[in-house]
Amino acid sequence: MRREQTSMATKSAMVTILLMMQMALFCSAFQPQSTPIRPKKPHEYANLPSAEEEEAPSSSSSSSSSSFHQRMLLRVKQIDAQQRRKQKSSSSSPLIQPVLNMEEFKTVLNENHDYMVVLWTSPWCKACNALRPAMKTLAKHHPNVKFVEIPVLEDNANLHQGLEVPSVPYMHLYLSECQLAEEQKLNRKRMSAVHKMLQDYQEGECSLERLGPWSTSCPYSYYPVPSSGNDATMPWSLRP
């Protein structure tokens, strides 16, 4: 009787153990597989970077980022300076404004300048090309005078024919309200006289100062150009 009880207890214990093993296998099937941590071997520790080496990349990356920031700031400043130069060059008007047709000429006249010099030239005229530096110098010395250049062309023949321009280079001086005050031929010898005439118109008086001995004749007739390089006695310089 006792043997039967012992065998029954043994069987029940074995069944319990088998059930526990099956439950353990069932639960392990639904758990994630974790890779075991393998301890490092001694020779692998020698290849690890030191603390200074680990900090080096961060310092180099910060220096590279700062240098990149400086380059970008420099580039922005260069672009800003270029844009300012372009705006300044576009906003600044030329010394002598070109006028090509009747409509442009009427527009300039309607601006009603106090003093306006109209220079009649032509691209095929060698005397006009030779006088061009002196014209620019004249415009520089009189910033309050409006200077206009009209080229004599076949397309705008009605301009010089209507105003009876006999030759080139030629000059018209207009006062306010489009009053034609002066007209004369131009050459290098007469540029000093034109300069003095413009001075007198702006100052409101006619000076009797002239080069050479004193005379009561018109001082605008002729101002000689010095043959030597010393032009300190001239009222202005023909050099641009």
Side-chain angles (χ1 to χ4, degrees):
M1 187 70 180
R2 289 180 180 176
R3 290 182 180 178
E4 292 180 356
Q5 291 179 354
T6 304
S7 62
M8 289 292 292
T10 304
K11 289 181 179 179
S12 62
M14 291 180 64
V15 170
T16 304
I17 292 172
L18 289 175
L19 290 174
M20 292 177 65
M21 291 178 64
Q22 289 180 356
M23 289 294 296
L25 292 175
F26 180 78
C27 293
S28 64
F30 291 94
Q31 291 182 355
Q33 298 290 333
S34 60
T35 57
I37 300 175
R38 184 178 62 84
K40 293 183 179 294
K41 296 181 181 180
H43 69 275
E44 293 179 350
Y45 285 99
N47 298 328
L48 293 176
S50 62
E52 297 178 354
E53 292 178 351
E54 290 179 352
E55 293 178 357
S58 61
S59 60
S60 62
S61 61
S62 62
S63 62
S64 62
S65 62
S66 62
S67 62
F68 174 76
H69 183 64
Q70 292 176 356
R71 290 197 303 270
M72 290 301 295
L73 286 178
L74 181 61
R75 182 57 180 166
V76 169
K77 290 181 180 179
Q78 291 176 352
I79 294 174
D80 187 31
Q82 290 177 359
Q83 291 179 351
R84 288 182 179 180
R85 285 195 297 268
K86 289 180 180 179
Q87 291 177 358
K88 185 177 179 179
S89 61
S90 61
S91 61
S92 59
S93 58
L95 291 173
I96 303 176
Q97 179 181 347
V99 172
L100 302 178
N101 51 51
M102 179 66 74
E103 296 298 327
E104 294 180 359
F105 185 60
K106 289 181 180 179
T107 301
V108 175
L109 288 177
N110 291 332
E111 293 175 358
N112 197 17
H113 299 278
D114 293 335
Y115 308 98
M116 186 175 71
V117 173
V118 179
L119 302 170
W120 299 88
T121 61
S122 185
W124 45 261
C125 175
K126 294 182 180 180
C128 300
N129 295 331
L131 199 62
R132 198 171 301 279
M135 293 178 182
K136 292 182 179 179
T137 305
L138 186 66
K140 289 180 181 179
H141 280 76
H142 297 278
N144 296 326
V145 179
K146 177 71 174 181
F147 283 83
V148 173
E149 181 180 3
I150 303 179
V152 176
L153 303 172
E154 185 178 358
D155 297 337
N156 59 3
N158 56 343
L159 273 173
H160 69 270
Q161 291 177 359
L163 296 173
E164 299 180 355
V165 177
S167 61
V168 289
Y170 202 75
M171 186 206 75
H172 282 164
L173 174 61
Y174 289 89
L175 302 182
S176 58
E177 298 180 358
C178 305
Q179 299 178 10
L180 179 60
E182 303 282 346
E183 58 177 322
Q184 60 176 290
K185 295 181 180 180
L186 288 181
N187 54 41
R188 187 175 177 82
K189 294 180 179 181
R190 293 180 179 177
M191 292 303 291
S192 295
V194 174
H195 166 70
K196 187 178 185 306
M197 178 183 66
L198 292 176
Q199 277 185 333
D200 291 346
Y201 266 104
Q202 294 177 81
E203 293 173 0
E205 60 182 12
C206 296
S207 174
L208 296 177
E209 295 179 1
R210 59 174 296 152
L211 296 180
W214 186 87
S215 174
T216 57
S217 60
C218 177
Y220 299 135
S221 59
Y222 173 60
Y223 268 74
V225 178
S227 58
S228 62
N230 185 12
D231 56 352
T233 58
M234 291 292 292
W236 76 309
S237 174
L238 289 176
R239 297 175 184 176

